[in-house]
Structures are given as C-alpha cells and as structure tokens.
Amino acid sequence: QVQLVDSGGGSVQAGGSLRLSCAASKYTLSSNCMGWFRQVPGKEREGVARIYPGPYPGRGITYYADSVKGRFTISQDNAKNTVYLQMNSLKPEDTAMYVCAASTFGVCGAGPSGYNYWGQGTQVTVSS
C-alpha cells in the first residue's frame, strides 16, 4: 500500500517562504506522477503543481497552476523518495491545506481525479 506523508506547513507572513515535503513509501517517484493540491473549506481541491518523469534521469517535467507560477517550485529527490514544494513570495490567498498526491494510472493530469493516493495534508497559513 502506497503511503504519503506530508510535512512542512506552518504560519508565515506575506512574502515569506515555506518548503513542503512529501515522503512516499512503496511508490517509485522516478517512474510516476506526483502532484500537490490545496483546498480551503467550501472550495474545490485545486491542483498547484505536478511532476512526472522526463527524458533526463533525475529531471522531471513540471507543471504549475497560473496562480503560483514563478513563486512555487516542485522538485523530487529520488534517493529519498520525496517530493518538495518550495513556496516563495507567499500571499494570503495561498492559505490552504496542502496535500500531496500520487498517481499509478500512468497519467499526470491537473485534476484530483487522476490521483489515487493522498497524503494527510499540511496546513499553510499566510497572514497579511
């Protein structure tokens, strides 16, 4: 059974930075898709960033939501089987529960329906 453990959330002021981590077990990052989503109460889960294997070992192909482009960076450490989300220039509207997700469907889409394993989530709160 794939297990994902999220960590790294916290409270920061606007303009600050956080790095989220997602440690995966029984799942090979180098061969599959990983994504970060965020959710606030009353809203749909939003895809933030995703990464999947590219043609060069250790360098995945990444995609970002328009709202975080230029501020967030997704990366992976295959040796540690961990995916990271570096979040810079944080804004109050980035406040949400952030959850990592893994897909064994052989696709790497933007929506949550393409992922079948989820972490427990880590809260990010950005104050103005």
Side-chain angles (χ1 to χ4, degrees):
Q1 180 77 7
V2 173
Q3 289 188 325
L4 305 176
V5 179
D6 309 328
S7 63
S11 297
V12 297
Q13 291 196 326
S17 298
L18 284 172
R19 189 177 80 155
L20 308 183
S21 300
C22 176
S25 60
K26 299 182 180 179
Y27 185 80
T28 305
L29 295 185
S30 59
S31 304
N32 292 286
C33 172
M34 292 289 293
W36 281 99
F37 291 78
R38 64 187 181 187
Q39 189 163 24
V40 296
K43 292 189 176 182
E44 292 186 357
R45 188 165 287 188
E46 174 192 17
V48 174
R50 60 194 190 273
I51 185 168
Y52 66 91
Y56 304 104
R59 292 178 59 185
I61 296 174
T62 59
Y63 287 96
Y64 299 92
D66 288 342
S67 58
V68 306
K69 276 181 183 176
R71 300 188 297 122
F72 290 11
T73 302
I74 188 171
S75 62
Q76 63 187 57
D77 184 331
N78 293 335
K80 296 182 178 179
N81 226 32
T82 299
V83 172
Y84 303 98
L85 185 68
Q86 177 67 43
M87 305 186 297
N88 298 328
S89 302
L90 282 162
K91 304 175 181 180
E93 51 264 43
D94 294 319
T95 294
M97 178 71 74
Y98 284 72
V99 188
C100 73
S103 172
T104 60
F105 296 144
V107 295
C108 200
S113 62
Y115 297 80
N116 48 336
Y117 295 100
W118 296 85
Q120 81 285 2
T122 184
Q123 178 68 36
V124 171
T125 302
V126 185
S127 58
S128 57

